[in-house]
Amino acid sequence: MDRGAKKSMIKIEKRFYISKGQELYIILASIILALLSGALMLRLMGVNPWEAYGMMLKGSLSDFYGISETLAKTIPLAMCSLAVGLAFTMVVWNIGAEGQFVMGALACTAFVRYFYTDSAIVMLASMTVTSSLAGGFWGAFAGFLKARWNVNEIITTLMMNYIAILLLQYFVYGSWRDPTSLGFPMTPVFPESARLPQFFASRVHAGLFFALIVALILWIVVRKGVWGYEIRVSGQNPRAADYAGIKSARNVILVMFLSGAIAGLAGMAEMAGLHRRLQPGFAVGYGYTAIIIAWLARLHPFTIIFVSFFFGALFVGGENLQIAMRLPLSTVQILQGLILFFLLGGEFFRSYRISLTFKKR
Amino acid sequence: MELIVPILAAAVRSGTPILYATLGEIITEKSGVLNLGLEGIMLIGAYTGFIVTFNTGSPLWGLVAAFLVGVAVNVIHAFLCISLRANQVICGLAMTMFGTGMSSLLGRSYVGQTISGLGVMPLPGLSSLPVVGPVFFNQDPMVYMSYFLVLLVWFLIFKTKFGLKMRAVGDSPLSAEAAGISVSAVRYLSTLLGGGFVSLGGAYLSVVYSHMWVELMTAGRGWIAVALVIFAIWHPFRAALGSYLFGGVEALQMRIQAGGTSIPAPLLMMLPYILTITVLVMISVLKGRGRFLGSPSALGLPFYREERE
């Protein structure tokens, strides 16, 4: 008997077209599967997953306070994601948003410490510039090394994250420590003129406008402008870019500078708007989460804002989990890893279709 | 000499976890698969090694378990990158997040516990040699095993049939496929085997080096190993050289800190990271802007079988 003839076939075919709806289904299915496997994992640890997820939802999106907290976390997430999204557009792997964010926070704290004035406009404007420059140069250094000697930017940006965080520790445990803080490693609180306003008696601050403005500018420059087209070509086909006379090397440095500057600005907003003093532990990995957000939003600036809100909720939910069920914040990290795994897997179904055919004799 | 020998011996010890990880990543990358999840896999290895040793009382079981778990965790990376052709950079970052989160979550009840771990076992005869003896042969068994592993990985890559297949698949998967080699099978094997050794490097930290589990205890060593693979130009002997160089910096830094110094600790702790960047720049400048010899040409690129021209 010929068994082969009866076998059903699994065939993988390349897709030539995918509709927006199908794409959305794939992303939703990926996230649902990630949450389900996260549930399985929690169950194996002896935690009731539905209670945990409920707790996360309740903490982050069920009332005004939750939503305002989520928005407060959306700000740094969105700006860091816009930063890495810009670099990823050129296929430059800036994994250093975390370090650039920290450098931005350090720079504006230094400004407050050494050049304090009473005028809020002067203060905030100068802090904005200082932080953007600090983050920008932190990123541009890796960009320069890549452009000049082809040094792997993934590793340099990552190493500079570690260096930035140690630099932060050096200052807050050292000469910047508030003498009245009873030994806690933190700087004195920022004076009134160095603060961004907060709204609606919540922790949502004016940094939100920074994020929206940066998104709008990026959308115009990267999606609509010539330069944006240049960096996209450089990223997708470096050789074609060379033939077209695009100066890729210069653009790598520029993109890394701007990317770092946006992350640095996020650091300033976080300091002046939310924490209002420098202390270790304010950088909880937004720069890494930003990579997922940018990837998930397909690097589109407006989608990034929207996706950041979702991840902001994940962070706030995670904090609630920590308080209510004594699960550490690393639970959120695992969920992020899982979401990313399933999104990557789902990517396959964007470009391929699996068809089952049942052959009859 | 009395001052330098202990530092050199400490350099070998501190360099060993990085060496295991670097060798593992060389195996993986030679077949064309980039795994940036080293930091996470090492943490999972460190956690697994610790809890198994803690619960069984046997460091040997701890290390074996870490190796096996490392292989198992890398199935995720292999499946996504090889079978589903996912972006290897992003997938590696996901591995790091997942591994970091998992080890922190599962390990939190073990923080502060200690194990007796694996101790020093001087090799009779060899250890009484001047300088070389105390530096290389007055160490723990895992250090000795790493010497063998360096030779073994070199032999595997350059002298065996499987090594030839690995290199073929890493350099030109299309030609390899045409020659009848299964690209996926070779890449799977290399990714899983490499992951096992990376995980073992993590386990060395908890079981042998510090005898305890601390959250995020790898402190960037996984990323340093990724950089060392480039420094080593994908060659095991140079990987050993690079690892001991980093071990040396760590040993020196700890010696300075213990000796009491006016240099603040955070600045001293920056040294390995600054060294990583310096080493990368140096190797890149030396080798010019072109591709490195020994660098697998198809590194990081998924293989599309049906799009063969």
Side-chain angles (χ1 to χ4, degrees), chain B residues 26 72 74 128 165 170 209 252 305:
Chain B
I26 287 178
N74 267 272
S128 47
K165 284 184 185 174
Y209 194 71
L252 205 64
R305 183 192 198 165

Side-chain angles (χ1 to χ4, degrees), chain B residues 2-278:
Chain B
E2 276 105 77
L3 215 68
I4 297 171
V5 168
I7 294 183
L8 289 180
V12 171
R13 256 169 76 79
S14 316
T16 300
I18 306 178
L19 179 55
Y20 275 101
T22 310
L23 289 173
E25 181 71 0
I26 287 178
I27 298 175
T28 306
E29 288 194 10
K30 264 291 176 191
S31 77
V33 178
L34 180 69
N35 188 351
L36 294 182
L38 263 60
E39 187 75 8
I41 299 161
M42 280 183 89
L43 279 167
I44 287 188
Y47 159 77
T48 311
F50 182 83
I51 58 146
V52 173
T53 309
F54 185 82
N55 288 315
T56 63
S58 151
L60 180 68
W61 281 121
L63 294 167
V64 170
F67 181 84
L68 293 176
V69 169
V71 170
V73 169
N74 267 272
V75 171
I76 304 174
H77 190 71
F79 177 69
L80 286 172
C81 294
I82 302 166
S83 299
L84 295 188
R85 295 151 209 178
N87 183 314
Q88 298 182 7
V89 173
I90 302 277
C91 191
L93 294 169
M95 290 289 284
T96 295
M97 281 180 198
F98 181 73
T100 311
M102 268 305 211
S103 59
S104 305
L105 180 66
L106 296 173
R108 76 203 142 115
S109 49
Y110 289 93
V111 173
Q113 307 275 20
T114 52
I115 47 175
S116 54
L118 210 57
V120 173
M121 191 184 81
L123 285 187
L126 285 171
S127 61
S128 47
L129 290 170
V131 187
V132 178
V135 172
F136 288 106
F137 301 113
N138 190 19
Q139 301 278 9
D140 56 81
M142 279 294 280
V143 172
Y144 305 140
M145 205 180 99
S146 72
Y147 304 154
F148 278 110
L149 195 65
V150 171
L151 291 174
L152 204 72
V153 172
W154 171 78
F155 189 78
L156 174 80
I157 294 176
F158 297 106
K159 299 290 161 194
T160 63
K161 205 169 160 186
F162 181 73
L164 185 66
K165 284 184 185 174
M166 238 163 90
R167 283 180 291 147
V169 163
D171 274 323
S172 176
L174 268 175
S175 334
E177 176 92 1
I181 301 170
S182 165
V183 175
S184 296
V186 173
R187 286 190 170 175
Y188 260 96
L189 264 174
S190 310
T191 307
L192 299 189
L193 186 65
F197 289 129
V198 172
S199 179
L200 209 51
Y204 183 87
L205 277 176
S206 62
V207 177
V208 187
Y209 194 71
S210 62
H211 297 192
M212 56 182 173
W213 159 254
V214 185
E215 227 180 293
L216 308 178
M217 69 189 302
T218 49
R221 286 181 180 86
W223 292 106
I224 289 173
V226 175
L228 274 182
V229 173
I230 302 173
F231 168 79
I233 327 181
W234 292 265
H235 197 292
F237 295 164
R238 290 182 57 123
L241 190 76
S243 302
Y244 296 146
L245 175 70
F246 273 88
V249 169
E250 201 184 308
L252 205 64
Q253 169 205 322
M254 293 219 285
R255 187 53 58 103
I256 295 173
Q257 245 168 299
T261 166
S262 54
I263 307 169
L267 295 188
L268 273 176
M269 283 156 74
M270 280 179 200
L271 280 176
Y273 310 118
I274 294 172
L275 182 67
T276 309
I277 297 178
T278 316

Side-chain angles (χ1 to χ4, degrees), chain A residues 50-194:
Chain A
W50 312 123
E51 196 190 333
Y53 284 159
M55 209 62 96
M56 288 178 84
L57 207 61
K58 199 172 147 230
S60 59
L61 296 170
S62 69
D63 55 6
F64 177 78
Y65 175 75
I67 293 173
S68 74
E69 281 296 292
T70 299
L71 268 176
K73 296 230 184 319
T74 306
I75 299 166
L77 281 172
M79 293 184 74
C80 289
S81 311
L82 290 167
V84 299
L86 172 63
F88 290 179
T89 308
M90 200 181 169
V91 198
V92 173
W93 297 107
N94 179 13
I95 313 298
E98 188 80 359
Q100 294 143 14
F101 177 72
V102 169
M103 288 313 287
L106 268 177
C108 73
T109 310
F111 195 89
V112 171
R113 188 176 172 87
Y114 299 114
F115 305 99
Y116 169 70
T117 54
D118 272 333
S119 155
I121 296 173
V122 173
M123 268 319 268
L124 290 174
S126 333
M127 282 161 74
T128 305
V129 174
T130 337
S131 291
S132 306
L133 284 177
F137 281 118
W138 207 247
F141 179 65
F144 169 74
L145 295 181
K146 181 181 170 66
R148 181 72 183 80
W149 294 296
N150 204 17
V151 180
N152 186 321
E153 76 277 17
I154 298 175
I155 298 165
T156 45
T157 50
L158 244 154
M159 290 295 120
M160 287 175 76
N161 288 349
Y162 285 101
I163 296 173
I165 285 170
L166 286 168
L167 210 55
L168 163 72
Q169 286 179 5
Y170 167 69
F171 283 114
V172 290
Y173 284 96
S175 57
W176 288 5
R177 191 196 313 229
D178 180 5
T180 64
S181 73
L182 304 170
F184 284 107
M186 46 172 72
T187 63
V189 178
F190 283 13
E192 205 59 56
S193 65

